[in-house]
Amino acid sequence: MSTPARTTLITTPTFARHSPDPWTLLADGGAGPLRPYDDRALPYGELLARIAGADALVAGMDPVTAEVMDAAPRLKVIAKHGVGTDTIDVAAARDRGIPVVFAPGSNSRAVAEYTFGLVLDAARRISASHTAVTEGGWPKLFGPELHGRTLGVVGFGRIGRLVAGYARAFGMSVLAHDPYVPDDAVTGADAEPAGLDALLARADVVTLHLPPAGEPLLDAARLEAMKPGAILVNAARGGLVDDTALAAALHSGHLAAAALDAFAVEPLPAGHVLRTAPRLTLTSHMAACTPEANRAMGLMVAEDVLRVLDGEAPRHAAG
């Protein structure tokens, strides 16, 4: 008896962009991958319409809601083409008996390297100089050396620890805050454990590596409590920082600079308060965009999709 046809709906345009291997794996496994129809995420209405015949879904930043799941009577597995499942209603999937899989660690080095690039950019005003030169200027922009400064890492998982290592290579000391990581693990990684408020008061550069938590972690009060002249970097998730308060802290000069790669609403809307804030580097949620991470991420989720469709337990289940 032949195996029934199985279909995997791919809604993220970055799936297997830099390697055919994830596509080949799904096809060889009889999971019938459907490529995204263009170079952008699938609109929500079209997602609802197209998911009806899917046995598996591989999503990017798409909101995978209970409504989406109920529109897919054949759906057996949801895969996040990434490391964070905050865009997926994991509880609703659990209630419906649908496993959610993801790709933890697949882009850690890519994000960590990019994060430190943002640190350098914000400190030395590299992008600002580039913009000025392309507009006909020739400014000499000053910024602090990192050697001897203190980096505060909020969230000391895989990415945070890699960023801490890069900082130490630059001669920085490292403070780390993570309520889920024991102090001895922090000190074992050559960092000093610190409470969040103490870290914010002492760090010259603060970098965030946490999932979203509903309310902004850095609200107006916490931004005001940061060390005067500090730099803030967020290449984790939008919503961790109060955008309006951050813009105010930059306009007032309380913060020397900031660099952001993630936003509560993406793409960043026209007229958004951050678009006119000074000494701010904005990039398009691209920290994970390396060919190496793209291939690894695609293979991890494709392997777990096939495992679930074949009646096996996934290796990387969320929740």
Side-chain angles (χ1 to χ4, degrees):
M1 178 183 292
S2 62
T3 302
R6 304 179 297 186
T7 299
T8 303
L9 176 62
I10 313 289
T11 65
T12 172
T14 61
F15 180 80
R17 176 177 287 181
H18 291 280
S19 170
D21 296 346
W23 288 116
T24 301
L25 184 62
L26 285 175
D28 290 349
L34 300 176
R35 295 173 184 260
Y37 67 101
D38 62 12
D39 195 32
R40 61 192 176 93
L42 201 65
Y44 185 72
E46 189 160 349
L47 171 59
L48 286 173
R50 296 184 64 182
I51 200 170
D55 297 281
L57 169 66
V58 177
M61 296 304 293
D62 316 81
V64 185
T65 63
E67 181 183 26
V68 170
M69 299 173 205
D70 291 340
R74 292 171 44 181
L75 192 63
K76 299 177 183 66
V77 58
I78 299 167
K80 174 60 183 282
H81 188 244
V83 301
T85 58
D86 47 288
T87 56
I88 300 171
D89 190 336
V90 177
R94 187 184 306 115
D95 290 344
R96 289 158 177 77
I98 303 172
V100 176
V101 302
F102 65 129
S106 59
N107 63 11
S108 295
R109 190 166 299 279
V111 175
E113 289 181 358
Y114 192 90
T115 295
F116 210 80
L118 292 178
V119 171
L120 286 166
D121 188 282
R124 297 302 307 274
R125 305 184 67 186
I126 298 168
S127 293
S129 177
H130 166 80
T131 299
V133 171
T134 59
E135 293 175 351
W138 197 255
K140 302 298 182 182
L141 304 178
F142 279 67
E145 296 178 9
L146 297 178
H147 186 274
R149 305 280 177 166
T150 298
L151 176 73
V153 182
V154 183
F156 208 58
R158 295 181 182 92
I159 297 171
R161 294 182 196 206
L162 285 169
V163 174
Y166 302 151
R168 287 192 299 274
F170 272 75
M172 302 182 79
S173 59
V174 179
L175 301 173
H177 170 74
D178 192 322
Y180 302 103
V181 176
D183 285 356
D184 59 353
V186 174
T187 56
D190 200 17
E192 178 186 342
L196 179 58
D197 292 336
L199 180 151
L200 295 176
R202 293 173 56 191
D204 299 292
V205 181
V206 174
T207 178
L208 305 180
H209 301 287
L210 298 169
E215 296 298 317
L217 177 72
L218 299 188
D219 56 13
R222 281 204 166 119
L223 289 169
E224 182 63 28
M226 288 179 65
K227 184 177 182 178
I231 293 168
L232 176 64
V233 173
N234 180 17
R237 282 290 186 267
L240 289 173
V241 182
D242 183 315
D243 293 342
T244 301
L246 174 58
L250 291 166
H251 279 291
S252 72
H254 176 63
L255 294 185
L260 308 176
D261 185 54
F263 308 91
V265 179
E266 298 181 358
L268 199 63
H272 193 281
V273 65
L274 292 176
R275 285 181 175 267
T276 55
R279 302 178 308 283
L280 176 60
T281 299
L282 304 173
T283 62
S284 53
H285 206 146
M286 53 183 277
C289 293
T290 66
E292 297 86 352
N294 183 255
R295 179 179 183 275
M297 192 181 300
L299 286 173
M300 285 179 72
V301 297
E303 287 169 357
D304 264 351
V305 162
L306 291 175
R307 288 180 68 86
V308 174
L309 293 181
D310 290 338
E312 302 175 29
R315 290 193 172 95
H316 305 288

